[in-house]
Amino acid sequence: MVNDAAIKKAQEYFGELLKRQLERVERIKASKGSTDFSKLDRIIIGVCGGDGIGPYICNSARIVMESLLADRIKSGNIEVRTIDGLTIERRAEVMKAIPDDTLEELKKCHLILKGPTTTPKKGEAWPNIESANVAMRKELDLFANVRPVSVPELGINWTFFRENTEGSYALGSDGIDVTDDLAMDFCVATTQGTERIIRAGFEHAKKTGLNYVSIITKANVVKTTDGKFLTIAEKVAEDYPEVKWDDWFIDIMTAKLIDPYRRSDFKVMVLPNLYGDILTDEAAQIQGGVGTAGSANLGMKYSMFEAIHGSAPRMVDEGRAQYADPSSMIKAVALMLNHMDEAEKGKKLEMALDICCQFEKKKVMTGRSGGATGDEFAQYVMDTVARPDIGAVWQRYIDAAVAANKK
Ligand code: IPM
Ligand code: MG
């Protein structure tokens, strides 16, 4: 029997969702002008540790960041602020993904360094509130999730441009149980939201000279939203005649990333939110694990830098949090430096991470008491950054990697 009352209620609810999404489109249309960091008298960097291992690895990364920016912090040109309240305890207390006062503080910052936060799921001890990551990306309109993955030994140099505010995530906490038997979630693609992420990918391909973009969808099945992604890609590509591009379906791309004969061909990959979430974990695993990958969440006004992994509460429960690997958060610092006006320092920090994690490995993180602590590792990275021969050592690493790849 068809439940007319349930359908009517669902229709009204759906109407509200549509209204909110159309309002969001208007906000995207109105947003313009990105921040020119070199013109700011004072840059405010907010640091929020998150929960689980978050505060530990975030603090190790903060030490690295503060040492690299020491002069500008001393002169008052950069202020580093601690932002509290992004813990699961506090979020559960106020039943919000981000407490209002925390959000207000975040909005006063130009750049945010954020540790992992716990994302509860149905049935867990914590209330099933929205993920703090997802909420922050939406609240601050951080539409581009840029995730670089590089494995010189395998000739891999990938940059993923994951759409960060739409797709299956836009209404991820707003699905509806129409009746006891029927549950529905929603997938959202707007013209404006799709165009800006695709443009960001093409711009990156052009600026870096990589000149190759792969668009990844499942447009053969998810015909409307993914179909829109592909149609807009075709249009945007016309503005970049020098950039070669192609399109792939997410399933076969998942296979191609582990195809030794093809994977090093790919350079810039642009994809909707959920596919980006999944594919970047796979890519990070090829690089050495999700603990090695950082990500930049970029918007017009704000930007946030974080690890790509979760808060590993088990490590805290087992008393091992100080042994958690801060590489992902230090990588996030490098991405922040690249994004602001400190690209030279960002590059040096990336070289130091390569040397410490892949080449010299004088301090090794095992996640347990036999390995280095996060702070010891951070010190090792800083000592490496300070080495006058860092460029030459890094080149030796790359040469050895290229030679190994040829074998
Ligand atoms: C990521 C994470 C988040 C996501 C989780 C923690 C909500 O997996 O940043 O990739 O799904 O985006
Ligand atoms: Mg993920």
Side-chain angles (χ1 to χ4, degrees), residues 137 147 162 169 276-278 280-281 290 308-310:
R137 292 165 187 166
R147 299 184 158 183
R162 166 188 177 188
Y169 280 63
D277 178 48
I278 298 167
T280 54
D281 267 19
V290 289
I308 78 160
H309 57 80

Side-chain angles (χ1 to χ4, degrees), residues 233-251:
E234 280 161 14
K235 271 227 263 345
V236 170
E238 287 172 11
D239 295 341
Y240 297 86
E242 65 277 66
V243 179
K244 178 178 103 176
W245 80 285
D246 53 16
D247 83 277
W248 293 80
F249 296 134
I250 179 65
D251 48 352

Side-chain angles (χ1 to χ4, degrees), residues 132-344:
N133 301 32
V134 175
M136 201 183 293
R137 292 165 187 166
K138 286 189 204 164
E139 288 286 352
L140 306 181
D141 201 23
L142 309 172
F143 65 88
N145 193 328
V146 186
R147 299 184 158 183
V149 165
S150 117
V151 191
E153 291 85 341
L154 301 175
I156 289 172
N157 175 24
W158 298 326
T159 307
F160 295 88
F161 279 73
R162 166 188 177 188
E163 200 293 317
N164 216 18
T165 54
E166 303 199 339
S168 309
Y169 280 63
L171 297 171
S173 299
D174 298 308
I176 169 169
D177 285 306
V178 180
T179 67
D180 284 347
D181 298 325
L182 177 64
M184 291 191 74
D185 274 310
F186 305 99
C187 187
V188 178
T190 68
T191 301
Q192 292 71 15
T194 306
E195 182 173 339
R196 62 185 180 174
I197 187 67
I198 293 175
R199 216 166 262 292
F202 272 88
E203 274 298 319
H204 180 80
K206 182 177 164 183
K207 200 177 73 200
T208 53
L210 292 165
N211 282 337
Y212 177 29
V213 171
S214 301
I215 302 289
I216 302 161
T217 69
K218 187 73 187 176
N220 51 341
V221 174
V222 185
K223 294 194 189 283
T224 308
T225 47
D226 281 7
K228 188 182 208 36
F229 209 88
L230 201 48
T231 311
I232 291 182
E234 280 161 14
K235 271 227 263 345
V236 170
E238 287 172 11
D239 295 341
Y240 297 86
E242 65 277 66
V243 179
K244 178 178 103 176
W245 80 285
D246 53 16
D247 83 277
W248 293 80
F249 296 134
I250 179 65
D251 48 352
I252 188 64
M253 188 49 105
T254 312
K256 286 294 143 201
L257 288 199
I258 51 169
D259 176 349
Y261 301 104
R262 284 306 304 276
R263 59 182 169 190
S264 57
D265 294 345
F266 301 111
K267 300 294 170 210
V268 179
M269 285 171 260
V270 187
L271 65 183
N273 211 335
L274 183 58
Y275 309 145
D277 178 48
I278 298 167
L279 205 66
T280 54
D281 267 19
E282 187 195 14
Q285 188 62 42
I286 295 166
Q287 178 180 256
V290 289
T292 63
S295 90
N297 296 260
L298 310 177
M300 299 300 269
K301 187 162 181 199
Y302 302 103
S303 48
M304 180 265 278
F305 302 83
E306 61 178 349
I308 78 160
H309 57 80
S311 59
R314 193 187 305 161
M315 285 194 83
V316 183
D317 294 345
E318 293 173 4
R320 299 187 282 122
Q322 70 273 35
Y323 298 106
D325 188 349
S327 303
S328 54
M329 287 301 300
I330 298 175
K331 177 78 184 180
V333 168
L335 295 175
M336 179 188 282
L337 294 168
N338 289 341
H339 181 67
M340 54 193 283
D341 50 346
E342 291 285 6
E344 209 173 295

